[in-house]
Amino acid sequence: RNVLVPTPSISYDTRDSFVRPTRGTYSSYSVDISKGYQTSLDNFLKHYVNLRFYYSPFHRVTLAWLGRFGYIDPLGDESRIPEDQLLYLGGTMSVRGFDENRLRVDGNDDPVGGRLALSGSMEARIEVSRNWETALFVDAGTVRETLVDEGSDDVRTSAGIGMRYLTPIGPVGILYGHKLDPKDGESSGRLHISVGYTF
């Protein structure tokens, strides 16, 4: 497959720090304009919306919120989104407590992606010392408009705790996410190693 994908974007940023924000907002919108040369398989628009908010009600405490929206809009009646271009959730960068890309799975326990992905996170970051902080978080997400009738449209949720070591170029941390609504046969949660903030 030969594909051309320009990605125009726009953003608005009032955060007090790029590395370790404690107040301000960040919002962005981007769209992948995908055009296949030999097939209509890759003809689609992939929209991304990202909203973040930071607030410090007390010294050494920062509350952070994140909302993400992704949607794939096919171009043309015959366009079918390839599986490797669908939207997936789960893992360190989205809904913690789940394996990477496995928020929604099929009967064979394989990842299921969709044309719509919606996720949100809330995190309390508490500075323990100059170089250490602990984090308490709640994540939620859903993957919908799938190509196969597998998995569930339900909103899946998790909560967890972690520790981060703050370096001059960003934090390095270890976090554990616990599923609040585990399905039959699922693990109760997962450990994640993170470099930089999830948001």
Side-chain angles (χ1 to χ4, degrees), residues 107-160:
N108 296 320
D109 204 34
D110 293 323
V112 173
R115 289 174 50 200
L116 171 66
L118 184 64
S119 63
S121 298
M122 181 174 63
E123 188 170 283
R125 300 167 181 169
I126 304 167
E127 183 181 342
V128 178
S129 68
R130 180 179 179 184
N131 295 110
W132 288 94
E133 75 174 21
T134 187
L136 305 171
F137 62 86
V138 176
D139 297 338
T142 181
V143 175
R144 301 184 180 184
E145 298 192 22
T146 59
L147 300 183
V148 294
D149 188 18
E150 297 274 0
S152 170
D153 284 349
D154 293 347
V155 175
R156 305 296 308 275
T157 56
S158 66

Side-chain angles (χ1 to χ4, degrees), residues 67-187:
R68 285 193 182 123
F69 171 81
Y71 184 73
I72 302 176
D73 187 16
L75 296 176
D77 295 336
E78 298 181 2
S79 179
R80 175 180 168 87
I81 309 303
E83 187 174 344
D84 61 356
Q85 293 298 319
L86 293 173
L87 300 168
Y88 297 84
L89 289 177
T92 307
M93 301 305 293
S94 59
V95 184
R96 292 161 286 190
F98 293 83
D99 290 340
E100 296 296 321
N101 296 335
R102 301 176 69 83
L103 185 79
R104 182 168 181 165
V105 295
D106 62 19
N108 296 320
D109 204 34
D110 293 323
V112 173
R115 289 174 50 200
L116 171 66
L118 184 64
S119 63
S121 298
M122 181 174 63
E123 188 170 283
R125 300 167 181 169
I126 304 167
E127 183 181 342
V128 178
S129 68
R130 180 179 179 184
N131 295 110
W132 288 94
E133 75 174 21
T134 187
L136 305 171
F137 62 86
V138 176
D139 297 338
T142 181
V143 175
R144 301 184 180 184
E145 298 192 22
T146 59
L147 300 183
V148 294
D149 188 18
E150 297 274 0
S152 170
D153 284 349
D154 293 347
V155 175
R156 305 296 308 275
T157 56
S158 66
I161 189 171
M163 288 292 295
R164 295 188 179 105
Y165 179 73
L166 306 172
T167 75
I169 59 173
V172 177
I174 182 168
L175 305 101
Y176 178 79
H178 176 78
K179 297 182 181 74
L180 298 180
D181 54 348
K183 307 291 186 183
D184 292 340
E186 280 188 336
S187 64

Side-chain angles (χ1 to χ4, degrees), residues 36-96:
Y37 285 112
Q38 298 167 317
T39 174
S40 64
L41 190 67
D42 292 288
N43 293 349
F44 57 83
L45 301 176
K46 187 183 288 186
H47 305 270
Y48 298 98
V49 178
N50 190 322
L51 304 172
R52 308 179 191 184
F53 177 71
Y54 306 89
Y55 173 64
S56 294
F58 310 106
H59 181 56
R60 297 179 180 270
V61 176
T62 298
L63 303 178
W65 291 268
L66 167 69
R68 285 193 182 123
F69 171 81
Y71 184 73
I72 302 176
D73 187 16
L75 296 176
D77 295 336
E78 298 181 2
S79 179
R80 175 180 168 87
I81 309 303
E83 187 174 344
D84 61 356
Q85 293 298 319
L86 293 173
L87 300 168
Y88 297 84
L89 289 177
T92 307
M93 301 305 293
S94 59
V95 184
R96 292 161 286 190

